[in-house]
Amino acid sequence: RAKLASVAALSVLGTVLAVAFLAIAAWYVFPVLGHAIPFTWCIVLGAILAPTDPVSVVGMLKRLGLPAPLQAVFAGESLFNDGVGVVIFGVTIGLATGDSQEVTASEIALSFCREAIGGGLLGALTGWIALRVLKGQRDPHIDLLTSLALATGTFSIANQLGMSGAIAVVAAGLCFGTSYSHSVFDKASRKELDIAWTLIDEVLNVL
């Protein structure tokens, strides 16, 4: 919560600037290579490339040993910029393919609300439901299996509803770090979850 404003500003403004920079660079580079491409397709390419991969960013931050508050800002930005990139992609792909002739500000705002805000609310809901399901039992294996089901299930539901799966899963995961979660997990369960998800994180980093 303390870093919400910084993360939100970087996620939105940073991603928009990155898309613009990449689109302009592609627009100038492709003609030099003998392939003149319309600017709308350059924006689509920028929207694909701009959002950073959260797994690699978090892994790099850990290796660099930056202060925890600074790591939280960078990691948060890399986790939430997906929604902004998806909105820009969705808007410009219609223009590039000719499916839509013009885009209004209201359409952009509605798309952003559905992808980012809708995904966040969905993740918060599924995360809260998972904690309620786990409350009252003390089996670390059930906790781990539920967390895996929460991640995959939330992502699938978000995609079906046209929301950002990445943002939904991040919001669901944040529920496992709330003060309420400390009454759900004991120390043994928390340790098992940390070990398992750290291993998954390292495997994804290697890939």
Side-chain angles (χ1 to χ4, degrees):
R1 288 195 298 267
K3 303 299 179 184
L4 179 61
S6 300
V7 170
L10 285 172
S11 298
V12 177
L13 298 178
T15 306
V16 169
L17 288 174
V19 170
F21 174 79
L22 290 167
I24 293 171
W27 196 46
Y28 280 105
V29 168
F30 278 121
V32 175
L33 301 176
H35 302 284
I37 294 179
F39 188 65
T40 50
W41 280 110
C42 294
I43 298 176
V44 171
L45 178 63
I48 294 171
L49 298 176
T52 52
D53 173 37
V55 174
S56 59
V57 169
V58 172
M60 180 185 68
L61 292 174
K62 289 179 180 177
R63 288 192 296 273
L64 290 176
L66 294 177
L70 197 58
Q71 285 195 42
V73 172
F74 282 113
E77 189 277 334
S78 69
L79 290 166
F80 284 105
N81 61 18
D82 171 78
V84 181
V86 167
V87 170
I88 297 173
F89 176 85
V91 169
T92 53
I93 192 70
L95 294 173
T97 57
D99 292 338
S100 57
Q101 300 301 319
E102 60 180 17
V103 178
T104 63
S106 61
E107 289 176 337
I108 296 175
L110 183 62
S111 180
F112 179 79
C113 288
R114 183 180 66 252
E115 290 279 353
I117 300 176
L121 292 175
L122 174 66
L125 176 63
T126 56
W128 180 81
I129 292 173
L131 290 176
R132 293 293 297 176
V133 169
L134 292 173
K135 190 173 178 63
Q137 64 86 34
R138 287 292 181 267
D139 188 333
H141 296 109
I142 293 178
D143 294 336
L144 177 58
L145 289 173
T146 303
S147 72
L148 290 166
L150 174 65
T152 54
T154 300
F155 193 91
S156 298
I157 294 171
N159 279 347
Q160 288 295 321
L161 297 176
M163 300 173 182
S164 170
I167 289 181
V169 173
V170 169
L174 287 174
C175 292
F176 276 47
T178 59
S179 56
Y180 176 71
S181 70
H182 292 290
S183 65
V184 176
F185 304 115
D186 56 19
K187 289 185 178 180
S189 294
R190 180 71 69 178
K191 184 178 180 181
E192 292 279 351
L193 282 172
D194 287 343
I195 291 173
W197 281 101
T198 299
L199 176 61
I200 292 171
D201 178 52
E202 292 300 326
V203 170
L204 292 174
N205 269 318
V206 171
L207 294 176

